[in-house]
Amino acid sequence: RDSVDGGDGTDIVQITESGALTPHLLNVEHVDSTQSAATALNLTNATSLTSVDIENGSHANSSITGLASGVQVNIKDANAGTIDYVSGATAVINIMLTGDGFSVADAADVTLQAVGATTEDFTSVALDNTDTTALTVIGGTLGTIDIDTGNITQTDQLATLSLSTSTDGANLVIGNVADSDSLTTLTATGNRGNINTGTIGNVGTAENLSTVTATADYGSVVTIGAITADTTNSLVENDLTITATTDAVSGSQIVFGNVDNTQGNITGTFSGDGDVDAGNLTGVDVTLDISSGDTSTIADVTASDDIVITTSGSGKVTFTALSGSDDVTLTSTSTDTVTITTIEDGHDDITIN
Protein backbone atom coordinates (compact mmCIF):
# COMPACT_ATOMS: atom_id res chain seq x y z
CA ARG A 1 0.00 0.00 0.00
CA ASP A 2 1.36 3.42 -0.98
CA SER A 3 1.04 6.41 1.33
CA VAL A 4 1.89 10.10 1.43
CA ASP A 5 3.79 11.42 4.44
CA GLY A 6 3.73 15.19 4.80
CA GLY A 7 6.32 15.29 7.53
CA ASP A 8 6.71 18.34 9.76
CA GLY A 9 4.79 21.58 9.30
CA THR A 10 1.42 22.17 7.71
CA ASP A 11 0.95 20.14 4.54
CA ILE A 12 -1.67 20.30 1.79
CA VAL A 13 -2.61 17.50 -0.60
CA GLN A 14 -4.62 18.33 -3.72
CA ILE A 15 -6.85 15.50 -4.90
CA THR A 16 -8.74 15.48 -8.20
CA GLU A 17 -10.70 12.30 -8.74
CA SER A 18 -13.21 10.73 -11.08
CA GLY A 19 -13.39 7.38 -9.25
CA ALA A 20 -13.60 6.13 -5.69
CA LEU A 21 -10.44 6.77 -3.70
CA THR A 22 -9.16 5.89 -0.21
CA PRO A 23 -5.78 7.58 0.18
CA HIS A 24 -3.37 6.90 3.05
CA LEU A 25 -2.18 10.29 4.26
CA LEU A 26 0.28 10.72 7.11
CA ASN A 27 1.05 14.10 8.71
CA VAL A 28 -1.18 15.84 6.16
CA GLU A 29 -3.30 18.59 7.69
CA HIS A 30 -5.34 19.84 4.73
CA VAL A 31 -6.91 18.35 1.60
CA ASP A 32 -8.17 20.23 -1.46
CA SER A 33 -10.75 17.95 -3.05
CA THR A 34 -12.24 18.21 -6.54
CA GLN A 35 -14.59 15.33 -7.37
CA SER A 36 -15.61 15.55 -11.01
CA ALA A 37 -18.05 12.63 -10.86
CA ALA A 38 -20.46 10.94 -8.44
CA THR A 39 -17.61 9.38 -6.49
CA ALA A 40 -16.58 8.83 -2.87
CA LEU A 41 -13.42 10.16 -1.29
CA ASN A 42 -12.78 8.15 1.88
CA LEU A 43 -10.51 10.02 4.30
CA THR A 44 -10.58 7.46 7.10
CA ASN A 45 -6.84 7.02 6.72
CA ALA A 46 -6.00 10.73 6.87
CA THR A 47 -5.37 10.71 10.61
CA SER A 48 -3.77 14.18 10.94
CA LEU A 49 -6.40 16.00 8.92
CA THR A 50 -7.78 19.28 10.30
CA SER A 51 -9.59 20.73 7.27
CA VAL A 52 -10.91 19.91 3.80
CA ASP A 53 -11.85 22.23 0.94
CA ILE A 54 -14.61 21.10 -1.45
CA GLU A 55 -13.24 22.89 -4.48
CA ASN A 56 -14.99 24.37 -7.50
CA GLY A 57 -15.80 21.69 -10.06
CA SER A 58 -17.13 19.09 -7.65
CA HIS A 59 -20.14 16.89 -8.44
CA ALA A 60 -23.52 17.18 -6.68
CA ASN A 61 -23.69 13.43 -6.04
CA SER A 62 -20.16 13.09 -4.72
CA SER A 63 -19.30 12.36 -1.10
CA ILE A 64 -16.44 12.78 1.35
CA THR A 65 -16.50 10.10 4.03
CA GLY A 66 -14.61 9.04 7.11
CA LEU A 67 -14.00 12.54 8.46
CA ALA A 68 -12.79 12.59 12.04
CA SER A 69 -14.49 14.66 14.73
CA GLY A 70 -13.56 18.33 14.54
CA VAL A 71 -12.34 18.37 10.95
CA GLN A 72 -13.54 21.59 9.31
CA VAL A 73 -15.03 21.44 5.82
CA ASN A 74 -14.95 24.54 3.62
CA ILE A 75 -17.63 24.52 0.93
CA LYS A 76 -16.28 26.28 -2.17
CA ASP A 77 -18.54 24.67 -4.76
CA ALA A 78 -22.30 24.95 -5.21
CA ASN A 79 -22.46 21.15 -5.41
CA ALA A 80 -21.19 20.00 -2.04
CA GLY A 81 -22.79 16.55 -2.09
CA THR A 82 -22.59 14.52 1.12
CA ILE A 83 -20.20 15.29 3.96
CA ASP A 84 -19.89 12.15 6.07
CA TYR A 85 -18.19 12.09 9.47
CA VAL A 86 -17.45 9.19 11.77
CA SER A 87 -20.36 8.32 14.03
CA GLY A 88 -20.93 10.76 16.89
CA ALA A 89 -18.49 13.35 15.55
CA THR A 90 -18.51 17.12 15.89
CA ALA A 91 -18.81 18.68 12.43
CA VAL A 92 -17.79 22.23 11.54
CA ILE A 93 -18.84 23.31 8.06
CA ASN A 94 -17.86 26.70 6.66
CA ILE A 95 -20.20 27.90 3.92
CA MET A 96 -18.43 30.19 1.47
CA LEU A 97 -20.85 30.68 -1.43
CA THR A 98 -24.40 30.17 -2.70
CA GLY A 99 -25.31 26.67 -3.82
CA ASP A 100 -27.60 23.67 -3.90
CA GLY A 101 -28.51 21.54 -0.94
CA PHE A 102 -26.00 19.32 0.83
CA SER A 103 -26.08 16.56 3.44
CA VAL A 104 -24.19 16.00 6.68
CA ALA A 105 -24.09 12.36 7.74
CA ASP A 106 -23.30 10.62 11.04
CA ALA A 107 -22.25 13.75 12.96
CA ALA A 108 -23.87 14.28 16.37
CA ASP A 109 -23.07 18.00 16.71
CA VAL A 110 -23.14 20.13 13.55
CA THR A 111 -22.06 23.77 13.20
CA LEU A 112 -22.78 25.72 10.01
CA GLN A 113 -21.13 29.12 9.74
CA ALA A 114 -20.88 31.81 7.09
CA VAL A 115 -17.26 32.66 6.34
CA GLY A 116 -17.33 33.75 2.69
CA ALA A 117 -17.31 37.18 1.09
CA THR A 118 -20.66 36.71 -0.67
CA THR A 119 -24.14 35.74 0.46
CA GLU A 120 -24.38 32.04 1.34
CA ASP A 121 -27.79 30.86 0.18
CA PHE A 122 -28.47 27.10 0.01
CA THR A 123 -31.69 25.37 -0.97
CA SER A 124 -31.61 22.94 1.98
CA VAL A 125 -29.40 21.17 4.49
CA ALA A 126 -30.02 17.52 5.40
CA LEU A 127 -28.74 16.29 8.75
CA ASP A 128 -28.68 12.69 10.01
CA ASN A 129 -32.03 11.36 11.19
CA THR A 130 -30.32 8.93 13.54
CA ASP A 131 -27.19 10.70 14.79
CA THR A 132 -27.56 14.49 14.74
CA THR A 133 -28.72 15.86 18.10
CA ALA A 134 -27.41 19.46 17.98
CA LEU A 135 -27.28 22.11 15.26
CA THR A 136 -25.64 25.54 15.55
CA VAL A 137 -25.91 28.13 12.77
CA ILE A 138 -23.65 31.20 12.99
CA GLY A 139 -24.02 34.34 10.90
CA GLY A 140 -21.17 35.96 9.03
CA THR A 141 -18.74 38.61 10.21
CA LEU A 142 -18.86 40.74 7.04
CA GLY A 143 -21.70 43.24 6.66
CA THR A 144 -24.41 42.45 4.07
CA ILE A 145 -23.21 38.82 3.81
CA ASP A 146 -26.21 36.70 4.75
CA ILE A 147 -26.50 32.97 5.41
CA ASP A 148 -29.65 31.14 4.33
CA THR A 149 -29.64 27.38 4.90
CA GLY A 150 -33.02 26.67 3.34
CA ASN A 151 -35.11 24.00 5.03
CA ILE A 152 -33.36 21.81 7.60
CA THR A 153 -34.34 18.17 7.02
CA GLN A 154 -33.53 14.75 8.49
CA THR A 155 -33.93 16.16 12.02
CA ASP A 156 -35.75 13.37 13.84
CA GLN A 157 -33.18 13.27 16.71
CA LEU A 158 -32.36 16.99 16.77
CA ALA A 159 -32.64 18.16 20.39
CA THR A 160 -30.85 21.52 20.39
CA LEU A 161 -31.05 24.31 17.81
CA SER A 162 -28.91 27.43 18.32
CA LEU A 163 -28.81 30.47 16.04
CA SER A 164 -26.65 33.59 16.40
CA THR A 165 -25.54 36.73 14.59
CA SER A 166 -22.85 39.29 15.42
CA THR A 167 -22.52 41.78 12.55
CA ASP A 168 -24.61 44.63 11.12
CA GLY A 169 -26.23 43.53 7.87
CA ALA A 170 -25.07 39.91 8.15
CA ASN A 171 -28.42 38.20 8.59
CA LEU A 172 -29.26 34.57 9.28
CA VAL A 173 -32.19 32.67 7.81
CA ILE A 174 -33.19 29.06 8.21
CA GLY A 175 -36.20 27.47 6.56
CA ASN A 176 -38.63 25.04 8.13
CA VAL A 177 -37.55 22.46 10.69
CA ALA A 178 -40.55 20.29 9.96
CA ASP A 179 -39.60 17.24 12.03
CA SER A 180 -39.02 18.48 15.58
CA ASP A 181 -40.06 15.41 17.58
CA SER A 182 -36.91 15.46 19.71
CA LEU A 183 -36.34 19.21 19.93
CA THR A 184 -36.06 20.42 23.53
CA THR A 185 -34.24 23.77 23.24
CA LEU A 186 -34.36 26.60 20.70
CA THR A 187 -32.04 29.58 21.20
CA ALA A 188 -31.84 32.61 18.89
CA THR A 189 -29.34 35.34 19.79
CA GLY A 190 -29.46 38.32 17.47
CA ASN A 191 -26.65 40.84 17.85
CA ARG A 192 -26.81 43.46 15.09
CA GLY A 193 -27.71 40.92 12.38
CA ASN A 194 -31.30 39.71 12.00
CA ILE A 195 -32.48 36.13 12.53
CA ASN A 196 -35.45 34.57 10.77
CA THR A 197 -36.73 31.00 11.04
CA GLY A 198 -39.39 29.07 9.20
CA THR A 199 -41.94 26.93 10.98
CA ILE A 200 -40.87 24.59 13.77
CA GLY A 201 -42.56 21.19 14.12
CA ASN A 202 -45.17 21.57 11.41
CA VAL A 203 -44.93 17.86 10.48
CA GLY A 204 -43.28 16.07 13.42
CA THR A 205 -44.55 18.20 16.30
CA ALA A 206 -42.14 19.61 18.89
CA GLU A 207 -43.87 17.85 21.77
CA ASN A 208 -40.67 17.88 23.85
CA LEU A 209 -39.82 21.55 23.34
CA SER A 210 -39.42 23.04 26.82
CA THR A 211 -37.27 26.15 26.32
CA VAL A 212 -37.33 28.92 23.73
CA THR A 213 -34.93 31.81 24.34
CA ALA A 214 -34.73 34.82 22.03
CA THR A 215 -32.48 37.86 22.42
CA ALA A 216 -32.36 40.94 20.19
CA ASP A 217 -29.56 43.46 20.71
CA TYR A 218 -28.09 46.40 18.76
CA GLY A 219 -31.03 46.76 16.38
CA SER A 220 -31.42 43.07 15.58
CA VAL A 221 -34.83 41.72 14.61
CA VAL A 222 -35.36 38.10 15.66
CA THR A 223 -38.35 36.41 14.03
CA ILE A 224 -39.32 32.89 15.09
CA GLY A 225 -41.80 31.12 12.82
CA ALA A 226 -44.88 29.27 14.00
CA ILE A 227 -44.12 26.58 16.59
CA THR A 228 -46.25 23.45 16.81
CA ALA A 229 -45.33 21.99 20.18
CA ASP A 230 -47.37 19.55 22.31
CA THR A 231 -50.71 19.14 20.55
CA THR A 232 -51.34 15.44 21.30
CA ASN A 233 -52.99 14.24 24.50
CA SER A 234 -50.67 11.84 26.31
CA LEU A 235 -49.72 10.64 29.80
CA VAL A 236 -46.95 13.26 30.04
CA GLU A 237 -47.77 16.77 28.89
CA ASN A 238 -45.10 19.30 27.95
CA ASP A 239 -44.65 22.72 29.55
CA LEU A 240 -43.01 25.40 27.43
CA THR A 241 -41.05 28.38 28.75
CA ILE A 242 -40.47 31.32 26.39
CA THR A 243 -38.01 34.05 27.31
CA ALA A 244 -37.61 37.13 25.12
CA THR A 245 -35.20 39.97 25.90
CA THR A 246 -34.40 43.12 23.92
CA ASP A 247 -32.01 46.01 24.51
CA ALA A 248 -32.57 49.76 24.19
CA VAL A 249 -31.02 50.20 20.74
CA SER A 250 -33.52 51.44 18.16
CA GLY A 251 -34.99 48.64 16.07
CA SER A 252 -34.34 45.78 18.46
CA GLN A 253 -37.38 43.53 18.17
CA ILE A 254 -38.52 39.95 18.71
CA VAL A 255 -41.46 38.48 16.80
CA PHE A 256 -42.94 35.07 17.53
CA GLY A 257 -45.37 33.38 15.20
CA ASN A 258 -48.21 31.29 16.57
CA VAL A 259 -47.20 28.96 19.42
CA ASP A 260 -49.45 25.93 19.83
CA ASN A 261 -48.84 23.98 23.05
CA THR A 262 -52.43 22.85 23.48
CA GLN A 263 -51.60 19.98 25.81
CA GLY A 264 -49.18 21.84 28.11
CA ASN A 265 -48.63 25.16 29.84
CA ILE A 266 -46.95 28.22 28.33
CA THR A 267 -44.95 30.58 30.53
CA GLY A 268 -43.67 33.69 28.78
CA THR A 269 -41.33 36.40 30.07
CA PHE A 270 -40.95 39.36 27.70
CA SER A 271 -38.57 42.05 28.91
CA GLY A 272 -36.17 44.80 27.87
CA ASP A 273 -36.52 48.16 26.15
CA GLY A 274 -37.48 46.93 22.69
CA ASP A 275 -40.59 45.49 21.07
CA VAL A 276 -41.74 41.89 21.68
CA ASP A 277 -44.67 40.66 19.59
CA ALA A 278 -46.36 37.28 19.30
CA GLY A 279 -49.05 35.54 17.32
CA ASN A 280 -51.60 33.23 18.90
CA LEU A 281 -50.46 31.59 22.15
CA THR A 282 -52.36 28.39 22.95
CA GLY A 283 -51.90 26.24 26.05
CA VAL A 284 -53.52 24.77 29.16
CA ASP A 285 -52.43 27.57 31.48
CA VAL A 286 -50.88 30.62 29.79
CA THR A 287 -48.85 32.85 32.11
CA LEU A 288 -47.23 36.02 30.76
CA ASP A 289 -44.95 38.53 32.48
CA ILE A 290 -44.46 41.49 30.15
CA SER A 291 -42.16 44.40 30.97
CA SER A 292 -40.92 45.29 27.50
CA GLY A 293 -40.44 49.01 27.03
CA ASP A 294 -41.74 49.59 23.50
CA THR A 295 -45.05 48.71 21.86
CA SER A 296 -45.84 45.01 22.07
CA THR A 297 -48.76 43.23 20.42
CA ILE A 298 -49.92 39.74 21.34
CA ALA A 299 -52.64 38.16 19.22
CA ASP A 300 -55.08 35.65 20.73
CA VAL A 301 -54.18 34.10 24.09
CA THR A 302 -56.16 30.87 24.41
CA ALA A 303 -56.08 28.62 27.48
CA SER A 304 -58.09 25.53 28.32
CA ASP A 305 -57.63 26.52 31.97
CA ASP A 306 -56.28 29.85 33.31
CA ILE A 307 -54.75 32.98 31.82
CA VAL A 308 -52.53 35.02 34.14
CA ILE A 309 -50.94 38.22 32.80
CA THR A 310 -48.68 40.66 34.62
CA THR A 311 -47.50 43.85 32.91
CA SER A 312 -45.07 46.48 34.10
CA GLY A 313 -42.65 49.03 32.71
CA SER A 314 -43.14 51.89 30.28
CA GLY A 315 -44.29 50.09 27.15
CA LYS A 316 -47.68 49.77 25.55
CA VAL A 317 -49.18 46.26 25.42
CA THR A 318 -52.06 45.17 23.21
CA PHE A 319 -53.88 41.84 23.29
CA THR A 320 -56.19 41.04 20.38
CA ALA A 321 -58.22 38.55 22.41
CA LEU A 322 -58.16 36.56 25.65
CA SER A 323 -59.98 33.24 25.75
CA GLY A 324 -59.71 31.03 28.85
CA SER A 325 -62.01 28.25 29.97
CA ASP A 326 -61.47 29.06 33.64
CA ASP A 327 -60.11 32.30 35.14
CA VAL A 328 -58.49 35.36 33.58
CA THR A 329 -56.31 37.54 35.81
CA LEU A 330 -54.58 40.73 34.65
CA THR A 331 -52.34 42.70 37.00
CA SER A 332 -50.74 45.84 35.61
CA THR A 333 -48.37 48.45 36.98
CA SER A 334 -47.48 49.68 33.50
CA THR A 335 -47.06 53.41 33.06
CA ASP A 336 -48.53 53.23 29.56
CA THR A 337 -51.70 51.63 28.21
CA VAL A 338 -52.66 47.98 28.27
CA THR A 339 -55.35 47.23 25.68
CA ILE A 340 -57.47 44.09 25.45
CA THR A 341 -59.60 44.23 22.33
CA THR A 342 -61.79 41.22 23.16
CA ILE A 343 -62.36 39.00 26.20
CA GLU A 344 -64.25 35.94 24.98
CA ASP A 345 -67.30 34.57 26.78
CA GLY A 346 -67.07 31.48 28.98
CA HIS A 347 -64.69 32.50 31.78
CA ASP A 348 -65.45 31.69 35.41
CA ASP A 349 -63.79 34.78 36.89
CA ILE A 350 -62.20 37.84 35.32
CA THR A 351 -59.93 39.86 37.61
CA ILE A 352 -58.23 43.10 36.55
CA ASN A 353 -55.91 44.85 38.97
Side-chain angles (χ1 to χ4, degrees), residues 30 32 52-58 73-80 94-98 122:
H30 181 82
D32 286 341
V52 176
D53 285 1
I54 299 176
E55 297 288 355
N56 187 36
S58 294
V73 176
N74 304 309
I75 297 178
K76 296 183 175 181
D77 189 277
N79 298 314
N94 299 317
I95 302 175
M96 307 180 77
L97 79 175
T98 288
F122 274 73

Side-chain angles (χ1 to χ4, degrees), residues 116-132:
T118 61
T119 292
E120 288 92 36
D121 186 353
F122 274 73
T123 58
S124 64
V125 176
L127 303 178
D128 192 301
N129 247 349
T130 302
D131 293 323
T132 305

Side-chain angles (χ1 to χ4, degrees), residues 71-94:
V71 172
Q72 295 199 25
V73 176
N74 304 309
I75 297 178
K76 296 183 175 181
D77 189 277
N79 298 314
T82 297
I83 302 166
D84 192 348
Y85 282 78
V86 298
S87 182
T90 295
V92 179
I93 298 173
N94 299 317

Side-chain angles (χ1 to χ4, degrees), residues 262-348:
T262 303
Q263 297 299 320
N265 300 326
I266 295 176
T267 300
T269 303
F270 303 161
S271 64
D273 294 303
D275 188 2
V276 179
D277 300 319
N280 299 334
L281 303 178
T282 304
V284 177
D285 289 336
V286 178
T287 302
L288 301 176
D289 186 342
I290 302 173
S291 58
S292 46
D294 206 332
T295 301
S296 296
T297 301
I298 315 296
D300 294 354
V301 178
T302 302
S304 57
D305 198 357
D306 296 333
I307 297 173
V308 178
I309 298 170
T310 303
T311 70
S312 60
S314 60
K316 294 182 180 180
V317 183
T318 299
F319 296 93
T320 302
L322 302 180
S323 178
S325 295
D326 200 353
D327 298 335
V328 174
T329 302
L330 171 64
T331 302
S332 178
T333 58
S334 298
T335 57
D336 210 320
T337 57
V338 176
T339 302
I340 303 171
T341 304
T342 303
I343 298 180
E344 303 289 351
D345 292 336
H347 305 294
D348 285 347

